[in-house]
Amino acid sequence: MTALIGPDTTDPRSAADRQHRPIASALPQGLVSLLDHEQHAHTLLPEAVWAYFNGGAADETTLRANAQAWQTLELLPRVLRPLAGGHTRVQLLGRTLAHPILVAPMAHQGLAHPHGEHATALAAAALGAGLVVSTQASKRLEDVAHSYLPDADRGPLWFQLYIQPDRGLTCELVQRAEAAGYEALVLTVDAPVQGARDRERRAGFVLPAQVSAANLTSMPVPTQALLQPGQSALFDGLLAHAPTWDDVAWLRSITHLPVLLKGITHPADAVEAVRCGAAGIIASNHGGRTLDTIPATARLLPRVVQVVQGDVPVLVDGGIRRGTDVLKAMALGASAVLVGRPILHGLTNAGATGVAHVIRLLRDELEMAMALTGCRTLADAHLTLA
């Protein structure tokens, strides 16, 4: 079944038929891993949308390294350890989570499925997974919260934020998130500009008219800065209002919500994040979508954990495709993990059902990996690495 991504002359159904695609549909047969989900989703999405979702920056060295680094880490099982009563529960920002898997913030999920973030929210809530909603979501943040919050067994609901050049618009987004019931803000700090996404540009990706950033409809159209001869359009224009550490302090001053910083890769920045009052850190290289040749997050994570010294939780994303990867992340000191592209693949394949299946696969594989390494709870994860 073709996902809703715009005009498609190969799809005999009308646009109205595609618009009314069920929020959850039957799972295609033969999908037993996240790789299966990825391969099947590739058959459903036009190549330009596939390039947008799955491409990385430049030569995609970091994109490939993220997944490879988790695979390179080895597990060394312990046997005959007591496993009865084991569980995957973790503590995070004062809450007990059923498991350490959160859905990462991803823009424009309406490209994968017409119900987009609504379907993702329903699935995440049902599976007890935390949900981080993107500023650039294709559904209004209030409506996504309405799909997620009623489930009693849900995980935490967070809102990912880009500080806008218009600080008034940023204040408005924060106030809306607070009023809608979001429990934390996730400030993305590693993308003052977009990376050189060659694959995306080669494919000619353009956001279709029926998919937009629903939470930014009031954003004014940016005007081109008047540059003097010799000035840089980037540094003297676009980056004139790029956020700094001072803006982290400003953001904390306008909200009662805890603020996590996403995109920390350097240990010195991790130390500064704690000093600035961040409630948590997400070690992330933006899924390899911004600066290429950044080290894989599996390599970055231990360095960040070491300097933070337990003052705040450290989460990690990037390349997690197996339950064993989740266990390895916990063994390296992560408090939880965020999963991105596989969620989009599940969403493409079967809406909410597909997203739920991806999360279920990861949790089941995590439990199996724990049992097979003699790890009764995730407090024992540090014993599992070779």
Side-chain angles (χ1 to χ4, degrees):
M1 186 177 292
T2 304
L4 176 68
I5 45 72
D8 182 357
T9 57
T10 66
D11 187 351
R13 298 170 298 159
S14 69
D17 289 337
R18 294 196 300 272
Q19 186 67 29
H20 289 91
R21 182 175 163 194
I23 198 166
S25 53
L27 194 71
Q29 292 185 343
L31 304 185
V32 299
S33 71
L34 271 58
L35 178 59
D36 291 338
H37 270 280
E38 179 178 349
Q39 292 174 340
H40 191 271
H42 198 175
T43 69
L44 301 180
L45 291 173
E47 202 57 37
V49 175
W50 184 256
Y52 172 72
F53 279 155
N54 290 275
D59 299 314
E60 301 186 343
T61 302
T62 297
L63 175 66
R64 293 188 297 272
N66 272 346
Q68 292 168 354
W70 296 115
Q71 295 167 5
T72 300
L73 289 171
E74 296 176 319
L75 295 170
L76 189 61
R78 298 290 303 276
V79 299
L80 300 178
R81 290 171 59 87
L83 298 173
H87 60 79
T88 59
R89 292 190 295 273
V90 294
Q91 301 294 317
L92 184 62
L93 296 185
R95 288 194 53 179
T96 299
L97 280 59
H99 55 78
I101 302 166
L102 287 79
V103 174
M106 294 166 288
H108 306 309
Q109 294 181 33
L111 290 166
H113 191 280
H115 294 286
E117 291 82 3
H118 287 309
T120 300
L122 288 171
L127 272 292
L131 177 66
V132 189
V133 178
S134 171
T135 290
Q136 296 176 316
S138 55
K139 307 296 180 185
R140 295 177 70 252
L141 65 91
E142 292 87 353
D143 297 334
V144 181
H146 183 72
S147 296
Y148 185 79
L149 289 173
D151 196 308
D153 295 324
R154 66 175 178 84
L157 177 64
W158 300 346
F159 183 67
Q160 178 269 334
L161 185 69
Y162 289 104
I163 290 182
Q164 306 298 320
D166 181 347
R167 294 305 191 260
L169 178 57
T170 303
C171 286
E172 177 187 329
L173 286 170
V174 170
Q175 291 166 1
R176 288 174 58 192
E178 290 176 344
Y182 286 79
E183 298 158 324
L185 299 177
V186 176
L187 178 64
T188 295
V189 297
D190 64 342
V193 296
Q194 182 172 293
R197 300 177 193 166
D198 293 352
R199 193 197 319 188
E200 185 180 317
R201 291 186 293 176
R202 290 189 193 103
F205 173 76
V206 177
L207 196 65
Q210 70 269 32
V211 177
S212 63
N215 296 302
L216 298 177
T217 55
S218 61
M219 175 184 286
V221 177
T223 57
Q224 179 65 42
L226 295 176
L227 301 175
Q228 301 299 318
Q231 285 189 309
S232 163
L234 181 62
F235 288 103
D236 299 305
L238 182 62
L239 294 177
H241 301 288
T244 67
W245 287 107
D246 288 340
D247 291 292
V248 177
W250 169 78
L251 178 61
R252 292 189 61 239
S253 75
I254 66 167
T255 182
H256 66 269
L257 298 178
V259 176
L260 296 89
L261 301 189
K262 179 179 182 292
I264 298 293
T265 57
H266 197 290
D269 286 338
V271 171
E272 184 67 13
V274 174
R275 190 193 68 79
C276 285
I281 288 171
I282 301 176
S284 171
N285 55 33
H286 218 101
R289 291 171 63 83
T290 52
L291 178 64
D292 199 19
T293 70
I294 299 178
T297 48
R299 290 181 53 201
L300 295 167
L301 175 62
R303 307 174 195 176
V304 173
V305 169
Q306 181 179 16
V307 298
V308 168
Q309 297 182 332
D311 289 341
V312 299
V314 178
L315 294 77
V316 67
D317 68 10
I320 290 174
R321 298 295 183 269
R322 287 284 186 183
T324 47
D325 299 340
V326 179
L327 180 59
K328 293 170 186 178
M330 304 300 288
L332 293 175
S335 298
V337 305
L338 295 93
V339 179
R341 290 181 177 97
I343 299 296
L344 295 174
H345 301 152
L347 181 63
T348 299
N349 291 331
T353 303
V355 173
H357 190 241
V358 165
I359 298 170
R360 183 77 251 181
L361 285 172
L362 278 174
R363 183 175 180 183
D364 286 349
E365 290 181 3
L366 171 60
E367 290 186 349
M368 285 185 280
M370 290 170 64
L372 292 170
T373 54
C375 184
R376 194 176 71 89
T377 73
L378 290 168
D380 300 325
H382 65 283
L383 303 174
T384 65
L385 290 182

